Amino acid sequence: MTIGRFITFEGGEGAGKTTQIARLVRVLRARGVEVVQTREPGGSPSAEAVRDLLLHADHGWEPLSEALLHYAARCEHLTATIRPALARGAWVVCDRFSDSTRAYQGFGLGLDIGTLEALEHMVVGSTRPDLTLILDLPPEVGLGRATGRKAAADRYERMSETFHSRLREGFLAIAARAPERCAVIDAEPGEEQVAEAVFRAVRERLGGPAAA
Ligand code: Z5A
């Protein structure tokens, strides 16, 4: 069976994931790679419905309920989009995945990491990313970029400064625990410079068409 490659992008608000994903996908497609570009929460019709609940409805979820909703969306996304794409040999480039649940619901909201690992084991199983690019920058810079772009902040963007600092620490701790999978990219310089660092990491870690 052909197996594609699974790349995830992570980081705080406004880190530049959408911008960098678009650039990477363009380069890979120009090299003849079939790329499925997707995002979380979302990436399939049912998962997009859960995204609406999570981002725009102010229900004041319990952290565990929130994590379960993210994992329900992820389960749908994996089944409908990610696994079929990988099985036919496509590369999947995904804006956020399980590390966001660890960072936001774990480090940010204080949910027990063991609980999140159990959910990850159950839902994600062996469909783990081959490479995770963590775009790192001070939270105030990212929030400035994100709010400058959107008309209204979503529920996560409205959380406190200390919440966003915990997120950054969380992502860096995740990278330190899994250096073979994660590459931390300095996201503060200009778009072009960040794109070069992203592509270098993809080439060095995954080779294949990225090395051509
Ligand atoms: N969430 C969660 O809690 N648990 C989970 O398990 C998952 C997610 C999966 C999804 O929001 C929310 O769900 C997210 C976490 C939570 N929290 N929030 N908010 P989203 O998908 O709507 O938003 P996001 O993932 O945080 O992304 P974003 O705010 O859209 O930012 P971005 O994609 O990282 O950045 P961007 O759109 O590429 O860039 C932002 C602006 O900066 C834009 O105007 C760019 O032109 C500009 N930019 C980009 N790069 C640069 C550089 N290098 N220099 C200067 N300006 C730049």
Side-chain angles (χ1 to χ4, degrees), residues 25-60:
V25 167
R26 225 174 16 246
V27 174
L28 290 173
R29 285 185 179 149
R31 289 171 186 225
V33 182
E34 184 199 346
V35 183
V36 172
Q37 181 181 343
T38 187
R39 68 169 181 184
E40 288 208 347
S44 77
S46 47
E48 289 288 333
V50 180
R51 177 186 177 93
D52 271 349
L53 276 177
L54 280 161
L55 264 59
H56 305 300
D58 259 323
H59 292 304

Side-chain angles (χ1 to χ4, degrees), residues 10-21 39-42 51 54-56 66-67 70-71 74 95-105 109 135 137 141-150 153-158 163-164 167 187-195:
E10 299 281 3
E13 324 294 317
K17 295 180 280 51
T18 312
T19 307
Q20 294 302 328
I21 286 171
R39 68 169 181 184
E40 288 208 347
R51 177 186 177 93
L54 280 161
L55 264 59
H56 305 300
E66 194 168 307
H70 278 291
Y71 266 102
R74 186 160 299 134
D95 191 338
R96 299 193 180 281
F97 194 63
S98 300
D99 294 318
S100 278
T101 321
R102 278 173 200 246
Y104 280 77
Q105 283 67 49
L109 297 178
L135 302 193
L137 85 175
V141 178
L143 282 168
R145 286 182 188 172
T147 48
R149 187 206 45 186
K150 291 182 191 166
D154 67 35
R155 201 161 59 79
Y156 293 103
E157 284 166 358
R158 293 196 299 270
F163 174 84
H164 290 284
L167 284 185
E188 233 182 320
E191 239 184 87
E192 194 70 44
Q193 210 177 316
V194 178

Side-chain angles (χ1 to χ4, degrees), residues 72-148:
R74 186 160 299 134
C75 187
E76 296 292 309
H77 184 206
L78 279 160
T79 306
T81 307
I82 297 177
R83 289 190 182 117
L86 293 174
R88 66 173 185 269
W91 287 40
V92 174
V93 179
C94 187
D95 191 338
R96 299 193 180 281
F97 194 63
S98 300
D99 294 318
S100 278
T101 321
R102 278 173 200 246
Y104 280 77
Q105 283 67 49
F107 287 88
L109 297 178
L111 196 61
D112 172 51
I113 296 292
T115 303
L116 296 176
E117 284 174 350
L119 286 170
E120 184 173 351
H121 180 71
M122 189 166 40
V123 174
V124 175
S126 60
T127 318
R128 312 241 167 187
D130 297 297
L131 173 63
T132 297
L133 295 149
I134 296 181
L135 302 193
D136 177 60
L137 85 175
E140 63 278 10
V141 178
L143 282 168
R145 286 182 188 172
T147 48

